[in-house]
Amino acid sequence: MWGGRFAEGPAAVMREINASIPFDKRMWRQDVAGSRAHVAMLGAQGIVAADDVAAIDAGLEEVAAGYAADGVPDDLAMEDIHMLTEARLSDAIGPAAGRLHTARSRNDQVATDFRLWVRDATDQVLAALAALDDALLARAEDHAGSVMPGFTHLQSAQPVTLGHHLMAYHEMVSRDISRFRDNRARGNLCPLGSAALAGTGFPIDRHATAAALGFDGPTRNSLDSVSDRDFALDYLMAAVQCSLHLSRLAEEFVLWASQPFGFVALSDQWSTGSSIMPQKRNPDAAELVRGHAGRISGCLVSLMVTMKGLPLAYSKDMQDDKPPVFECHDLLAISIAAMTGMIESATFRTDRMRGLAESGYATATDLADWLVREANVPFREAHHITGRAVARAEALGCTLDAVPLADLQAIDARITDAVYGVLSVDASVASRRSFGGTAPDNVRAAIRAAREART
């Protein structure tokens, strides 16, 4: 490529450290698409003759067909996917291939290919998140009225519904979808035509190539165009946040599948066994999703550290921008798919959930609220009274709604038998009708709203 300047070839180690083909070959589709758009523009502008444009375009199609059929070889001598494609094009059509790189540098070529790849990856993630959200909404609808204990500090707090709990993850996924969409829109500008760093003296039409590649327009500064990797960092940041949400959901499944909880049975498809203990059913898929969040976070840190001190415009350090993004995408895609499968196939043990909700004094707040509403007791005093009622229930070894009225009135004479209308878990969840609350009707309304927002 640069034989005119150098008398000797690179050392073996230099060739190995300098080559990116083992990983950037993933971008071959984007590289071919960018080259076809570029040569079409060169022809339209009269920079390259029509016959050469036709030959180059046909040759690129031939190269792409070869990649699709046989894969892309790790040819270190070709250094990267861009040089390999140009070499194969030259083999296919001869010297005319050399005109393809007119008014283009590998700097803007790489930046364009990478943006295209990240955009395609984002579209894949958005489709996967939509499927995950569909699964959450379907299971939430199934269990809009299924009572379970709600937790704070992993201690039984107040009864909620399983549907409400699952809809909390819908909210997280909705924010993830929003972040990926925002990133896609912000990064959808085309660097092609910025050349090495300063633009080009050829009369190119950057708007034409941007439109041909589905971008909203060209980038506005040639220096920034070839040195910007914000679009990749934005993708990683959104992926990290998404992976944290997936990890929290996975952690719930790990806990819920354990015998002490017994809230869920994972299907055979998403469980593994033990090499020594025949009785084991391990939630390995959920644990791996939880573990992947750490690796995805590491990918973000890797690229941030690579970019933090680079002067304008392009530096070879930026060759290391792609491996963390590729790794992150693979991990995120399989994590989303695994959680979608687990949610769709899980058997929720709602009888067990209800039993624990009833046994954990989860309706204590309902007693305090009743005292405030019906007996005009200040909440702090009602809190104290309720605490004594819970202590009495513990002493009797019964649930709060099973404490005899006489015992409750011995604690505070203002308590009447009407209080029993709020002490059941069903009454408790049904009463939480404030916007965003756990009442079954609220949950069903939230599901309808979520589906309408998607149409």
Side-chain angles (χ1 to χ4, degrees):
M1 178 174 57
W2 43 63
R5 173 65 177 86
F6 290 81
E8 296 183 44
V13 173
M14 177 59 189
R15 177 170 293 181
E16 183 174 352
I17 195 174
N18 197 48
S20 57
I21 188 70
F23 54 83
D24 70 19
K25 63 184 180 182
R26 291 179 63 149
M27 301 193 304
W28 70 261
R29 291 178 178 83
Q30 291 77 21
D31 192 61
V32 170
S35 291
R36 294 185 69 184
H38 181 66
V39 76
M41 179 276 296
L42 293 176
Q45 294 297 107
I47 299 170
V48 173
D51 289 348
D52 287 338
V53 170
I56 291 170
D57 190 67
L60 286 169
E61 283 194 327
E62 181 180 332
V63 171
Y67 289 157
D70 304 322
V72 182
D74 291 350
D75 188 346
L76 300 188
M78 289 293 103
E79 189 174 325
D80 57 31
I81 184 60
H82 322 292
M83 294 310 302
L84 177 62
T85 298
E86 187 172 328
R88 288 202 164 188
L89 179 64
S90 181
D91 291 341
I93 68 170
R99 300 190 184 281
L100 172 60
H101 212 54
T102 305
R104 184 178 73 172
S105 163
R106 274 196 304 174
N107 292 355
D108 61 335
Q109 184 180 4
V110 170
T112 301
D113 290 358
F114 197 18
R115 280 190 189 237
L116 287 169
W117 192 94
V118 170
R119 190 178 72 185
D120 291 343
T122 299
D123 289 342
Q124 293 166 20
V125 170
L126 286 169
L129 287 175
L132 172 60
D133 198 37
D134 285 341
L136 287 167
L137 294 175
R139 299 315 301 273
E141 188 171 41
D142 293 340
H143 295 286
S146 300
V147 175
M148 66 173 288
F151 299 96
T152 62
H153 308 278
L154 210 56
Q155 305 292 311
S156 184
Q158 292 178 296
V160 296
T161 66
L162 175 56
H164 190 59
H165 194 106
L166 293 174
M167 285 298 287
Y169 285 98
H170 154 75
E171 294 296 328
M172 297 181 208
V173 170
S174 296
R175 293 193 294 273
D176 292 328
I177 290 172
S178 175
R179 269 184 285 272
F180 279 109
R181 284 176 176 167
D182 289 347
N183 296 346
R184 190 190 192 286
R186 185 167 48 251
N188 200 37
L189 296 173
C190 183
L192 195 58
S194 298
L197 76 163
T200 178
F202 288 97
I204 61 172
D205 184 349
R206 293 189 62 208
H207 289 83
T209 50
L213 292 169
F215 288 106
D216 295 328
T219 50
R220 292 176 291 273
N221 181 283
S222 60
L223 280 167
D224 179 59
S225 299
V226 298
S227 58
D228 170 42
R229 293 298 184 269
D230 286 2
F231 64 92
L233 287 166
D234 283 348
Y235 175 86
L236 290 172
M237 289 176 189
V240 167
Q241 187 65 70
C242 181
S243 74
L244 298 182
H245 293 153
L246 296 172
S247 181
R248 296 183 73 177
L249 180 55
E251 170 68 5
E252 303 248 47
F253 270 59
V254 171
L255 288 172
W256 291 1
S258 67
Q259 283 80 5
F261 273 82
F263 284 4
V264 68
L266 298 179
S267 72
D268 290 350
Q269 294 175 305
W270 303 103
S271 306
T272 64
S274 165
S275 64
I276 189 173
M277 295 170 284
Q279 82 281 8
K280 293 294 293 297
R281 177 189 289 271
N282 298 326
D284 281 11
E287 291 171 355
L288 288 166
V289 169
R290 187 176 59 186
H292 287 351
R295 292 175 63 188
I296 290 171
S297 298
C299 292
L300 171 61
V301 173
S302 172
L303 185 54
M304 286 195 298
V305 173
T306 295
M307 297 301 299
K308 72 175 181 62
L310 295 184
L312 295 177
Y314 180 83
S315 298
K316 195 66 171 182
D317 312 46
M318 292 168 69
Q319 182 168 287
D320 286 336
D321 57 0
K322 296 164 203 68
V325 177
F326 293 162
E327 179 184 5
C328 167
H329 178 69
D330 292 344
L331 292 170
L332 184 63
I334 200 168
S335 295
I336 296 171
M339 288 313 307
T340 302
M342 277 185 275
I343 291 165
E344 289 174 339
S345 61
T347 300
F348 293 105
R349 293 172 170 164
T350 53
D351 54 341
R352 172 70 174 167
M353 293 180 178
R354 170 178 281 273
L356 288 181
E358 291 173 338
S359 65
Y361 310 110
T363 59
T365 304
D366 296 275
L367 172 56
D369 289 347
W370 184 89
L371 285 165
V372 171
R373 286 194 310 269
E374 304 299 327
N376 199 29
V377 178
F379 182 79
R380 284 302 169 201
E381 182 183 353
H383 188 285
H384 182 72
I385 294 167
T386 301
R388 294 176 61 195
V390 170
R392 182 58 182 159
E394 284 182 328
L396 294 173
C398 67
T399 59
L400 196 56
D401 61 346
V403 177
L405 180 61
D407 290 62
L408 293 175
Q409 289 180 330
I411 295 169
D412 194 285
R414 291 168 290 188
I415 299 176
T416 70
D417 60 357
V419 76
Y420 293 105
V422 302
L423 292 184
S424 72
V425 292
D426 290 304
S428 177
V429 298
S431 72
R432 307 293 172 184
R433 294 186 297 271
S434 59
F435 186 81
T438 191
D441 286 345
N442 280 25
V443 174
R444 295 184 184 99
I447 294 168
R448 287 194 300 271
R451 286 175 172 155
E452 289 171 3
R454 293 268 297 276
T455 57

